Amino acid sequence: MTGHDRQWELNRLNFEGRWCGTSRWYERNTAGVLDLITPTAVIESTCYSISFSDPDTGLWDGSGLRFAPDGRRRLPLCRATYNSGGQCWQFRAAGGQSSLMVDEKQPRFGHELNLFCGRSRSMLVLLYAPLAPAPAGGPLWRLQSLGVVPFRCTLAPEPDPPRPAASDWRALLAEVEGWPGELERLEPRHWPSTDPQPQPCAPFRSRQFSGNDLCAGFADGLVCSLPETLPARAFALQVGCRLDGGHFNQVSLHYGSQQQLTAWELRRFQSP
């Protein structure tokens, strides 16, 4: 099996299902203020149906979408063409897609991150946009929209138990302080043919997770630490999820000094 094939198989393993939930979007208003407490839009019927007719072919069918015409979109899925741009990434029970670099030729710098537990899927979408008009010296990128969806697979034989919201992100991070963990790492376009062997990592430290200037918590135990405005140097986006009482997973997106993605890192922390 090639690395490409393994990423395709993990994509199927993670995402196949009929995922439904209420999406909440937090967007910057005309005064330039981004309120991460009160959503700008709430869509109660968001549904992503992802099915595969055979090992090489599938269909993504979405409804209740924020930015699609009439709120709907259908996309074919194919092993041969999957991830041709290298933006998709998959671990076991975590996956999504990321802009590979900050590119002023593109209208946005965007990310979708999903963390899975059983048949629950906690999704966070981040959309950065350049300021208009651009300041002297070039575009300044600022977080424009953030979307959260606590998905549940309606095809599951039994519903997963509910998880508490993480509105008090400081309290949630304090609860997992010092938990031991393991690390898996992926680099863009370097896809291993087998899952990376987890390596021991330093215990969880809330101070390191929350090192950016914008931190927030949402439904499903989702928390994030983000730069509100992208710096002209190396930076990292941090997203975590309290999967249950004894597990906390953290996804880190690392960008180097040239604002290019260098690695996705998944840390799995477990209560001692």
Side-chain angles (χ1 to χ4, degrees), residues 107-109 127-131 140-144:
R108 64 189 182 187
F109 174 74
L127 300 175
Y128 286 79
L131 287 175
L140 186 66
W141 293 76
R142 187 171 64 173
L143 184 62
Q144 183 70 26

Side-chain angles (χ1 to χ4, degrees), residues 16-90:
E16 186 171 15
R18 186 174 184 273
W19 305 97
C20 297
T22 298
S23 58
R24 292 174 172 83
W25 285 91
Y26 305 83
E27 297 166 352
R28 200 171 293 277
N29 63 23
T30 54
V33 176
L34 178 63
D35 181 355
L36 294 181
I37 298 177
T38 304
T40 305
V42 177
I43 305 173
E44 297 184 357
S45 56
T46 298
C47 186
Y48 292 3
S49 181
I50 304 168
S51 58
F52 295 87
S53 56
D54 58 62
D56 300 317
T57 309
L59 177 67
W60 186 97
D61 187 355
S63 58
L65 309 181
R66 176 63 172 156
F67 300 112
D70 299 321
R72 295 194 62 93
R73 180 175 296 158
R74 289 165 60 93
L75 299 171
L77 303 173
C78 176
R79 179 193 296 264
T81 58
Y82 172 70
N83 201 18
S84 59
Q87 297 176 315
C88 299
W89 51 275
Q90 305 289 340

Side-chain angles (χ1 to χ4, degrees), residues 127-182:
L127 300 175
Y128 286 79
L131 287 175
L140 186 66
W141 293 76
R142 187 171 64 173
L143 184 62
Q144 183 70 26
S145 303
L146 184 151
V148 178
V149 191
F151 281 121
R152 298 295 182 268
C153 181
T154 63
L155 303 181
E158 296 182 1
D160 284 353
R163 301 208 299 271
S167 54
D168 188 348
W169 61 268
R170 292 180 180 85
L172 186 149
L173 297 182
E175 290 174 358
V176 302
E177 182 74 25
W179 284 12
E182 292 184 326

